[in-house]
Every structure is written in structure tokens, then in C-alpha cells.
Amino acid sequence: MSAPHTQSKLVAQGPLGTEEARWIRAVKTTYTDPLGVERTWESAERTTRPAGVELDGVGIVAILSRDSGSELLLQKQYRPPINKVVIEVPAGLIDVGETPEQCAVRELLEETGYVGVAEQTSPVMFNDPGMCNTNLHMVHVKVDMSLPENKNPKPQLEENEFIECFTVPLTSLFGEMKKLEKEGYAIDARIGTLAEGIELAKKWKL
Amino acid sequence: MSAPHTQSKLVAQGPLGTEEARWIRAVKTTYTDPLGVERTWESAERTTRPAGVELDGVGIVAILSRDSGSELLLQKQYRPPINKVVIEVPAGLIDVGETPEQCAVRELLEETGYVGVAEQTSPVMFNDPGMCNTNLHMVHVKVDMSLPENKNPKPQLEENEFIECFTVPLTSLFGEMKKLEKEGYAIDARIGTLAEGIELAKKWKL
């Protein structure tokens, strides 16, 4: 039996009219360059960011800490924009009034069933700032696998969420990403470049 | 005198009509979920990807190799979608018929003036696959600083490109990102998570 997430199927992909769009919008920015020349730039943004908030969400670097070693918690999730199942970190959009750390602990529990403690928060990072304004904090969450509540984690997924969790030893993350790509999965840049950073540190003995 | 890239100024930001858009388009995807329920998803894509090509561009991990140590080459560039100067790796869109490695070497020369050799190419990485289909390979390029052509690098920027290059020792990348954020720069997620990977490798002694 194949995993549920692999069973999503593309039906159609086509233009989205402005009047029809609810979740994203196209944006035109007019600016002057350093020589004073007026230019325009086209981009996209989410409509879900609460007014006055400058952050969309969090990505979660969840380390499962066991006596036998530390593993990174990852997800497989079908992403309609690219019609592929993507390997990515757990993530979620921030609710009004929530801190990034609260959001990370809540989303981790909802998406994976694990109870964790936020230990560290990255600078705000912009996913593709020439293309869109979406951004996130990476929040590092430690999951103590000796706790009884983490023995048998039960995700609390919404009815439109189909997510499969798995773990990878931190030290072999880059090799695992290459293997998963060969198997037909897409690699999210946030996890791919994290893996590359680990490889750079090894290569240059940092 | 402040650097040229800081002198771009926002004039206006507002909705972009479908008929007006030239560089990006909004997309509606219809798909069936694992339970057979038909759903829709909204996203954005670039119009610049050549037909039949599945890749937008490359990011360049350019290591400046000196006797005294290795540094990572980074850029400061104003990004209109977020109205901030962003710290990012050199990058560029792929031309028709070009390999990722050719694109990386060409873009590095154009944007920074450095002559490098592509050593390694990452899996395809998707920048924000719930939001848009944009993707890239990270190509690792070695820049031999003992070569005469790298003594006095001259970027070949287009008339609408305003890019400032700088270097950071690999080992202090994460700290530098935090410092630059405090100074008001935005951090691109691809370089931010690379820095996080280096920190994880140090912390867990990988």
C-alpha cells in the first residue's frame, strides 16, 4: 500500500483571475533605482498575513533526541503548485498574537504529534525575495524521546492535510536528500540548504 | 557615502492586474486529495521559464579559496517585493540550452567579476513549494584567489542591476547573518539555512 500523501492527483492547472483569487495576490512595486530611474517589479504575496504582522510563519528544525543519537524530523507532503510530494521541515502559518516559538510548538504537535521545547529562533528568512514576500523564522525545537507523551505521537491534522512524517540522522541528511530526489520526491530549499551547510562544515572542518 | 544598493526607494506598492502582468502569473491548481475529494490551490509562477524546462535558475555557493582560509561570497541587493536590501548568494536565471554549472559560472562572472570552477551541484530545490513553483540548483563554485584574473574582479552588471559583493568566513556565517539582520538587512532563506546547517554540524559534532 502506498502512503496516503502519494495519492493526490493533479486534475488541471491554469490561470487564476484576480477576482477569483482568495489566498494569494499579484503585486506591482514601483521604485526608484540608485540612479533615480523609476522602475516596476512584479511579485506575489499571501493574503493570510494578519494586518500589521510582518511574518508569515515558521519552519521547524525538530531534533529527536535519543540516547542512540539525534535525528531530524521531516515530512512528505503533496504540494499542488509543483504537483510533487515535497520533503520539507514541519511548518505553519502564524496565528494572531502568537510568538514564533509558540507557533512552532503548536504546529509540531498538530502536524506530527510530538511535544517539543523551542530552544532557538533564527533571523527572519525570506524564501524567494525576488519573487514573493513570504518569510519565516526557523525555530529549533528539541523533542525529548524519553518522555511518555512522545512514545506514540498522534498528529492532529486538519481534514485537508495529508502529511507523512519520517526521520533522518542529521549526519546523513544530504545523502538522504539525494536519494529521495532520485525516488521522485522534490526537495524544499530550506531543508536542502540546511543539509548543504552540514556538508560544508564537514568538508571545511568548521 | 552609502553603498549604491541602499539608495533604491519604494514609490508605491499595489495590486497587479492579470492583463498587466508580464513576469509572473497567478495559477489555480485543481487536484484530488487522497480521499478523492477535489480541491483547488492558488500559487504563482515566473513566466520566464523556457518551454519544456523544469528549472528556473541557480544559486551559487562561491567559496573564495585563499591560503589564509575560505570565505563565502555574498551579495547585498535591493528586492522590491519586500522593500529591503537582502543578503543572498549570487544567483541567476538559466538561459535556454545552458547547464546549471554553465549558468553558475556565467552568472558569477557577470554579477561579481570572479572566475570560478563548478565543483558540485545540489538536487533541485524548491524555494516555497506551497506558494510558488520557483526552484534552483545550488552550484558550488571554487574561486582560486591565486589566479591573476581574480586579483581585481570587475562585475559586468546590467543597467538595472545594483549589487554589492562582500565575503564572510564560512565558520562565522550564522553570527554574521544575525549581525546583518540587526543592521536592517533581510536574510535570504537559502543562505540563512545554510548557515544554520553549519551551526548544527558544529553543535552535534557531525
Side-chain angles (χ1 to χ4, degrees):
Chain A
M1 199 187 94
S2 62
H5 69 271
T6 60
Q7 296 164 6
S8 292
K9 295 227 180 316
L10 183 73
V11 175
Q13 208 163 39
L16 171 71
T18 310
E19 67 302 322
E20 193 187 0
R22 286 184 54 210
W23 303 100
I24 70 154
R25 62 181 156 235
V27 175
K28 180 166 81 168
T29 303
T30 308
Y31 65 104
T32 51
D33 74 16
L35 304 179
V37 178
E38 190 165 296
R39 299 182 181 277
T40 61
W41 193 276
E42 300 178 6
S43 61
E45 56 186 40
R46 291 185 193 279
T47 58
T48 48
R49 196 186 283 188
V53 173
E54 296 211 347
L55 190 73
D56 287 302
V58 300
I60 306 164
V61 178
I63 308 279
L64 270 50
S65 158
R66 289 191 178 91
D67 288 345
S68 57
S70 292
E71 302 202 317
L72 184 64
L73 184 61
L74 295 174
Q75 299 184 334
K76 295 174 181 175
Q77 185 169 16
Y78 175 76
R79 292 298 193 174
I82 63 172
N83 188 34
K84 283 176 189 280
V85 177
V86 183
I87 308 299
E88 47 192 50
V89 292
L93 301 181
I94 208 156
D95 285 344
V96 182
E98 219 177 20
T99 66
E101 294 76 16
Q102 288 167 340
C103 179
V105 168
R106 175 182 58 75
E107 286 281 355
L108 185 70
L109 181 63
E110 289 174 10
E111 290 193 350
T112 75
Y114 285 109
V115 176
V117 176
E119 292 196 316
Q120 188 191 320
T121 303
S122 78
V124 180
M125 299 184 188
F126 291 83
N127 299 314
D128 194 359
M131 172 72 185
C132 54
N133 74 339
T134 65
N135 62 14
L136 80 175
H137 282 288
M138 292 291 268
V139 181
H140 293 238
V141 176
K142 188 175 175 179
V143 178
D144 183 345
M145 296 301 285
S146 72
L147 294 178
E149 54 265 44
N150 286 329
K151 291 294 176 211
N152 190 17
K154 296 233 184 320
Q156 303 153 16
L157 296 173
E158 292 176 42
E159 49 92 38
N160 63 344
E161 285 184 312
F162 300 91
I163 295 173
E164 185 189 327
C165 293
F166 68 108
T167 64
V168 172
L170 264 182
T171 189
S172 56
L173 185 59
F174 189 76
E176 287 295 324
M177 292 303 106
K178 286 191 133 168
K179 207 165 80 181
L180 287 159
E181 185 185 43
K182 275 198 189 128
E183 291 169 10
Y185 294 97
I187 310 300
D188 182 285
R190 276 91 33 122
I191 188 60
T193 46
L194 192 90
E196 288 205 297
I198 293 174
E199 292 307 296
L200 277 177
K202 287 188 205 168
K203 178 175 173 182
W204 296 95
K205 305 190 195 315
L206 301 177
Chain B
M1 196 185 97
S2 62
H5 69 272
T6 60
Q7 297 163 6
S8 293
K9 294 229 180 318
L10 183 73
V11 175
Q13 206 163 39
L16 171 70
T18 310
E19 67 302 323
E20 194 187 358
R22 286 183 56 209
W23 303 100
I24 69 153
R25 63 181 154 235
V27 175
K28 180 167 79 168
T29 303
T30 308
Y31 66 103
T32 51
D33 76 15
L35 303 178
V37 178
E38 191 164 295
R39 298 181 182 279
T40 61
W41 194 274
E42 299 179 8
S43 62
E45 56 185 42
R46 291 185 192 278
T47 58
T48 47
R49 196 187 283 189
V53 172
E54 297 212 343
L55 190 74
D56 287 302
V58 300
I60 305 165
V61 178
I63 308 280
L64 269 52
S65 157
R66 290 192 177 91
D67 288 344
S68 57
S70 292
E71 301 202 320
L72 183 65
L73 184 62
L74 294 175
Q75 299 184 336
K76 296 175 181 175
Q77 186 169 16
Y78 175 76
R79 292 299 192 173
I82 63 172
N83 189 33
K84 282 176 188 281
V85 177
V86 184
I87 308 298
E88 47 191 51
V89 293
L93 300 182
I94 208 156
D95 285 345
V96 182
E98 217 176 23
T99 66
E101 294 77 15
Q102 289 167 339
C103 179
V105 169
R106 174 181 59 74
E107 286 282 353
L108 185 70
L109 181 63
E110 288 174 9
E111 290 192 351
T112 74
Y114 284 110
V115 176
V117 176
E119 292 196 314
Q120 187 190 322
T121 303
S122 78
V124 179
M125 299 182 188
F126 291 83
N127 298 315
D128 194 359
M131 172 73 185
C132 54
N133 74 339
T134 65
N135 62 14
L136 81 175
H137 283 288
M138 291 291 268
V139 181
H140 293 239
V141 175
K142 188 175 176 178
V143 177
D144 183 345
M145 296 301 285
S146 72
L147 294 179
E149 55 264 45
N150 288 328
K151 291 294 174 212
N152 189 16
K154 294 230 184 324
Q156 305 153 17
L157 295 173
E158 293 176 41
E159 50 92 38
N160 62 344
E161 284 183 313
F162 300 90
I163 295 173
E164 185 190 328
C165 294
F166 68 109
T167 64
V168 172
L170 264 182
T171 189
S172 56
L173 184 59
F174 189 75
E176 288 294 325
M177 292 304 105
K178 286 190 131 168
K179 208 165 80 181
L180 287 159
E181 186 185 43
K182 274 199 191 129
E183 291 170 10
Y185 294 97
I187 310 299
D188 182 287
R190 277 101 17 133
I191 188 61
T193 47
L194 192 90
E196 289 205 295
I198 293 174
E199 292 307 296
L200 278 177
K202 286 189 207 167
K203 178 175 173 182
W204 295 96
K205 306 190 194 316
L206 301 177

Short mmCIF file of all heavy atoms in Angstrom, two decimals, chain A residues 58 60 62 73 75 90-92 98 101-117 141-143 149-150 152-158 161 163 165:
data_model
loop_
_atom_site.label_atom_id
_atom_site.label_comp_id
_atom_site.label_asym_id
_atom_site.label_seq_id
_atom_site.Cartn_x
_atom_site.Cartn_y
_atom_site.Cartn_z
N VAL A 58 6.49 29.85 10.44
CA VAL A 58 7.72 29.26 10.96
C VAL A 58 8.01 27.95 10.24
O VAL A 58 7.10 27.25 9.79
CB VAL A 58 7.65 28.97 12.48
CG1 VAL A 58 7.39 30.25 13.27
CG2 VAL A 58 6.59 27.92 12.80
N ILE A 60 10.27 24.43 11.21
CA ILE A 60 10.65 23.82 12.48
C ILE A 60 11.79 22.82 12.28
O ILE A 60 11.63 21.83 11.56
CB ILE A 60 9.43 23.11 13.12
CG1 ILE A 60 8.25 24.10 13.24
CG2 ILE A 60 9.80 22.52 14.48
CD1 ILE A 60 6.92 23.43 13.48
N ALA A 62 13.15 20.22 14.02
CA ALA A 62 12.80 19.40 15.19
C ALA A 62 13.81 18.26 15.31
O ALA A 62 13.91 17.40 14.43
CB ALA A 62 11.39 18.84 15.03
N LEU A 73 13.42 15.53 12.17
CA LEU A 73 12.06 15.14 11.80
C LEU A 73 11.67 15.86 10.51
O LEU A 73 11.70 17.09 10.44
CB LEU A 73 11.11 15.53 12.94
CG LEU A 73 9.65 15.13 12.82
CD1 LEU A 73 9.49 13.62 12.74
CD2 LEU A 73 8.86 15.68 14.01
N GLN A 75 9.02 15.80 6.74
CA GLN A 75 7.68 15.46 6.26
C GLN A 75 7.68 15.22 4.76
O GLN A 75 8.48 15.79 4.02
CB GLN A 75 6.72 16.61 6.55
CG GLN A 75 6.58 16.94 8.01
CD GLN A 75 5.54 18.02 8.27
OE1 GLN A 75 5.27 18.83 7.40
NE2 GLN A 75 4.98 18.01 9.45
N PRO A 90 8.61 20.42 9.13
CA PRO A 90 7.28 20.83 9.59
C PRO A 90 7.22 22.36 9.60
O PRO A 90 8.21 23.02 9.88
CB PRO A 90 7.21 20.27 11.03
CG PRO A 90 8.23 19.17 11.08
CD PRO A 90 9.32 19.58 10.12
N ALA A 91 6.06 22.89 9.29
CA ALA A 91 5.96 24.35 9.17
C ALA A 91 4.52 24.77 9.34
O ALA A 91 3.61 23.94 9.29
CB ALA A 91 6.48 24.82 7.82
N GLY A 92 4.31 26.06 9.54
CA GLY A 92 2.93 26.51 9.64
C GLY A 92 2.85 28.02 9.65
O GLY A 92 3.84 28.71 9.89
N GLU A 98 0.47 35.19 18.37
CA GLU A 98 1.35 34.07 18.70
C GLU A 98 2.81 34.48 18.50
O GLU A 98 3.13 35.19 17.54
CB GLU A 98 1.02 32.94 17.71
CG GLU A 98 1.03 31.56 18.27
CD GLU A 98 0.60 30.54 17.20
OE1 GLU A 98 0.67 30.83 15.99
OE2 GLU A 98 0.20 29.45 17.60
N GLU A 101 7.88 30.98 18.57
CA GLU A 101 8.15 29.77 19.35
C GLU A 101 6.84 29.04 19.69
O GLU A 101 6.77 27.81 19.63
CB GLU A 101 8.91 30.13 20.64
CG GLU A 101 10.32 30.67 20.42
CD GLU A 101 10.35 32.13 19.95
OE1 GLU A 101 9.31 32.83 20.08
OE2 GLU A 101 11.40 32.57 19.45
N GLN A 102 5.81 29.82 20.08
CA GLN A 102 4.50 29.20 20.35
C GLN A 102 3.95 28.53 19.10
O GLN A 102 3.41 27.43 19.14
CB GLN A 102 3.51 30.26 20.86
CG GLN A 102 3.81 30.75 22.27
CD GLN A 102 3.05 32.02 22.64
OE1 GLN A 102 2.58 32.76 21.76
NE2 GLN A 102 2.92 32.28 23.93
N CYS A 103 4.08 29.23 17.97
CA CYS A 103 3.60 28.69 16.71
C CYS A 103 4.32 27.37 16.38
O CYS A 103 3.70 26.39 15.97
CB CYS A 103 3.83 29.72 15.59
SG CYS A 103 3.33 29.18 13.95
N ALA A 104 5.64 27.34 16.59
CA ALA A 104 6.42 26.15 16.26
C ALA A 104 6.00 24.95 17.11
O ALA A 104 5.81 23.84 16.60
CB ALA A 104 7.91 26.44 16.44
N VAL A 105 5.83 25.18 18.42
CA VAL A 105 5.46 24.08 19.32
C VAL A 105 4.04 23.59 18.98
O VAL A 105 3.77 22.38 18.93
CB VAL A 105 5.57 24.54 20.79
CG1 VAL A 105 4.93 23.54 21.73
CG2 VAL A 105 7.04 24.76 21.15
N ARG A 106 3.12 24.53 18.69
CA ARG A 106 1.75 24.16 18.32
C ARG A 106 1.70 23.39 17.01
O ARG A 106 1.09 22.32 16.91
CB ARG A 106 0.90 25.43 18.22
CG ARG A 106 -0.52 25.18 17.72
CD ARG A 106 -1.35 26.46 17.57
NE ARG A 106 -0.78 27.46 16.66
CZ ARG A 106 -0.79 27.37 15.32
NH1 ARG A 106 -1.33 26.32 14.73
NH2 ARG A 106 -0.25 28.32 14.57
N GLU A 107 2.39 23.92 15.99
CA GLU A 107 2.35 23.27 14.68
C GLU A 107 3.02 21.89 14.72
O GLU A 107 2.59 20.96 14.06
CB GLU A 107 3.03 24.15 13.62
CG GLU A 107 2.20 25.36 13.21
CD GLU A 107 1.08 25.01 12.22
OE1 GLU A 107 1.00 23.84 11.77
OE2 GLU A 107 0.28 25.91 11.92
N LEU A 108 4.10 21.79 15.50
CA LEU A 108 4.78 20.49 15.60
C LEU A 108 3.83 19.45 16.19
O LEU A 108 3.73 18.33 15.67
CB LEU A 108 6.04 20.61 16.47
CG LEU A 108 6.87 19.34 16.54
CD1 LEU A 108 7.56 19.04 15.21
CD2 LEU A 108 7.92 19.42 17.66
N LEU A 109 3.12 19.84 17.23
CA LEU A 109 2.17 18.92 17.85
C LEU A 109 1.05 18.55 16.87
O LEU A 109 0.71 17.38 16.71
CB LEU A 109 1.58 19.57 19.12
CG LEU A 109 0.57 18.72 19.90
CD1 LEU A 109 1.23 17.45 20.43
CD2 LEU A 109 -0.04 19.51 21.06
N GLU A 110 0.50 19.56 16.19
CA GLU A 110 -0.61 19.30 15.27
C GLU A 110 -0.20 18.42 14.10
O GLU A 110 -0.89 17.49 13.72
CB GLU A 110 -1.17 20.63 14.73
CG GLU A 110 -1.94 21.43 15.77
CD GLU A 110 -2.37 22.81 15.25
OE1 GLU A 110 -2.23 23.07 14.03
OE2 GLU A 110 -2.83 23.63 16.07
N GLU A 111 0.97 18.73 13.52
CA GLU A 111 1.37 18.05 12.28
C GLU A 111 2.05 16.72 12.54
O GLU A 111 2.04 15.85 11.67
CB GLU A 111 2.31 18.94 11.45
CG GLU A 111 1.61 20.15 10.86
CD GLU A 111 2.45 20.85 9.79
OE1 GLU A 111 3.64 20.51 9.63
OE2 GLU A 111 1.91 21.74 9.12
N THR A 112 2.69 16.56 13.71
CA THR A 112 3.48 15.35 13.92
C THR A 112 3.13 14.60 15.20
O THR A 112 3.51 13.44 15.35
CB THR A 112 4.99 15.69 13.99
OG1 THR A 112 5.28 16.31 15.25
CG2 THR A 112 5.40 16.62 12.85
N GLY A 113 2.45 15.27 16.13
CA GLY A 113 2.10 14.61 17.39
C GLY A 113 3.17 14.72 18.45
O GLY A 113 2.96 14.30 19.60
N TYR A 114 4.34 15.26 18.10
CA TYR A 114 5.42 15.35 19.08
C TYR A 114 5.30 16.60 19.95
O TYR A 114 4.95 17.68 19.46
CB TYR A 114 6.79 15.36 18.39
CG TYR A 114 7.20 14.00 17.88
CD1 TYR A 114 7.23 13.73 16.52
CD2 TYR A 114 7.55 12.98 18.77
CE1 TYR A 114 7.61 12.48 16.04
CE2 TYR A 114 7.92 11.72 18.30
CZ TYR A 114 7.94 11.48 16.94
OH TYR A 114 8.31 10.24 16.47
N VAL A 115 5.66 16.43 21.24
CA VAL A 115 5.70 17.55 22.17
C VAL A 115 7.16 17.99 22.28
O VAL A 115 8.03 17.19 22.63
CB VAL A 115 5.16 17.12 23.56
CG1 VAL A 115 5.30 18.25 24.57
CG2 VAL A 115 3.72 16.66 23.44
N GLY A 116 7.40 19.25 21.99
CA GLY A 116 8.78 19.73 22.00
C GLY A 116 8.93 21.05 22.73
O GLY A 116 7.95 21.67 23.14
N VAL A 117 10.18 21.46 22.88
CA VAL A 117 10.51 22.72 23.55
C VAL A 117 11.35 23.57 22.57
O VAL A 117 12.36 23.10 22.05
CB VAL A 117 11.33 22.46 24.83
CG1 VAL A 117 11.76 23.77 25.47
CG2 VAL A 117 10.52 21.63 25.82
N VAL A 141 13.47 23.11 17.71
CA VAL A 141 12.68 22.52 18.77
C VAL A 141 13.28 21.17 19.15
O VAL A 141 13.54 20.34 18.28
CB VAL A 141 11.21 22.33 18.31
CG1 VAL A 141 10.40 21.62 19.39
CG2 VAL A 141 10.58 23.68 17.98
N LYS A 142 13.51 21.01 20.44
CA LYS A 142 14.05 19.73 20.92
C LYS A 142 12.90 18.83 21.36
O LYS A 142 12.02 19.26 22.12
CB LYS A 142 15.00 19.98 22.09
CG LYS A 142 15.75 18.75 22.53
CD LYS A 142 16.76 19.07 23.62
CE LYS A 142 17.41 17.80 24.12
NZ LYS A 142 18.41 18.08 25.16
N VAL A 143 12.92 17.60 20.87
CA VAL A 143 11.89 16.63 21.25
C VAL A 143 12.56 15.55 22.08
O VAL A 143 13.40 14.79 21.57
CB VAL A 143 11.22 16.02 19.99
CG1 VAL A 143 10.19 14.97 20.41
CG2 VAL A 143 10.58 17.11 19.14
N GLU A 149 4.86 11.15 26.61
CA GLU A 149 3.97 11.71 25.58
C GLU A 149 4.56 11.63 24.17
O GLU A 149 3.85 11.86 23.18
CB GLU A 149 3.59 13.17 25.90
CG GLU A 149 4.75 14.10 26.14
CD GLU A 149 5.09 14.27 27.63
OE1 GLU A 149 5.11 13.24 28.34
OE2 GLU A 149 5.34 15.41 28.05
N ASN A 150 5.84 11.30 24.08
CA ASN A 150 6.44 11.17 22.75
C ASN A 150 6.64 9.71 22.32
O ASN A 150 7.28 9.44 21.30
CB ASN A 150 7.77 11.92 22.71
CG ASN A 150 7.56 13.42 22.67
OD1 ASN A 150 6.56 13.90 22.13
ND2 ASN A 150 8.47 14.18 23.28
N ASN A 152 4.20 7.57 21.49
CA ASN A 152 3.24 7.17 20.45
C ASN A 152 2.55 8.41 19.90
O ASN A 152 1.37 8.64 20.14
CB ASN A 152 2.22 6.20 21.08
CG ASN A 152 1.37 5.54 20.02
OD1 ASN A 152 1.71 5.55 18.84
ND2 ASN A 152 0.24 4.99 20.45
N PRO A 153 3.30 9.23 19.17
CA PRO A 153 2.78 10.54 18.74
C PRO A 153 1.59 10.43 17.81
O PRO A 153 1.58 9.62 16.89
CB PRO A 153 3.98 11.16 18.01
CG PRO A 153 4.80 10.01 17.56
CD PRO A 153 4.65 8.97 18.63
N LYS A 154 0.59 11.25 18.07
CA LYS A 154 -0.62 11.25 17.25
C LYS A 154 -0.84 12.65 16.65
O LYS A 154 -1.23 13.57 17.36
CB LYS A 154 -1.85 10.90 18.11
CG LYS A 154 -1.85 9.53 18.70
CD LYS A 154 -3.14 8.79 18.37
CE LYS A 154 -3.18 7.44 19.07
NZ LYS A 154 -1.88 6.71 19.07
N PRO A 155 -0.60 12.78 15.36
CA PRO A 155 -0.85 14.08 14.72
C PRO A 155 -2.33 14.46 14.81
O PRO A 155 -3.19 13.59 14.90
CB PRO A 155 -0.47 13.84 13.25
CG PRO A 155 0.37 12.60 13.25
CD PRO A 155 -0.09 11.79 14.41
N GLN A 156 -2.57 15.77 14.82
CA GLN A 156 -3.96 16.27 14.82
C GLN A 156 -4.14 17.07 13.53
O GLN A 156 -4.19 18.29 13.53
CB GLN A 156 -4.17 17.18 16.04
CG GLN A 156 -3.86 16.49 17.38
CD GLN A 156 -3.43 17.48 18.47
OE1 GLN A 156 -3.63 18.67 18.36
NE2 GLN A 156 -2.84 16.95 19.53
N LEU A 157 -4.23 16.35 12.43
CA LEU A 157 -4.27 17.01 11.13
C LEU A 157 -5.66 17.53 10.81
O LEU A 157 -6.67 16.95 11.24
CB LEU A 157 -3.82 16.04 10.04
CG LEU A 157 -2.37 15.57 10.16
CD1 LEU A 157 -2.08 14.47 9.14
CD2 LEU A 157 -1.40 16.73 9.98
N GLU A 158 -5.69 18.65 10.06
CA GLU A 158 -6.98 19.13 9.57
C GLU A 158 -7.44 18.23 8.42
O GLU A 158 -6.66 17.46 7.87
CB GLU A 158 -6.83 20.59 9.12
CG GLU A 158 -6.57 21.50 10.32
CD GLU A 158 -6.32 22.96 9.94
OE1 GLU A 158 -7.01 23.46 9.05
OE2 GLU A 158 -5.43 23.57 10.55
N GLU A 161 -5.34 18.15 5.34
CA GLU A 161 -3.90 17.94 5.47
C GLU A 161 -3.57 16.45 5.40
O GLU A 161 -4.15 15.64 6.12
CB GLU A 161 -3.39 18.50 6.81
CG GLU A 161 -3.29 20.01 6.87
CD GLU A 161 -2.70 20.49 8.20
OE1 GLU A 161 -3.15 20.01 9.27
OE2 GLU A 161 -1.81 21.34 8.17
N ILE A 163 -0.12 14.44 5.63
CA ILE A 163 1.31 14.60 5.88
C ILE A 163 1.87 13.30 6.43
O ILE A 163 1.27 12.70 7.32
CB ILE A 163 1.53 15.74 6.91
CG1 ILE A 163 1.09 17.08 6.32
CG2 ILE A 163 2.99 15.80 7.34
CD1 ILE A 163 1.12 18.24 7.32
N CYS A 165 5.25 11.72 8.29
CA CYS A 165 6.49 12.09 8.97
C CYS A 165 7.53 10.99 8.86
O CYS A 165 7.20 9.81 8.82
CB CYS A 165 6.23 12.34 10.46
SG CYS A 165 5.21 13.77 10.75
#
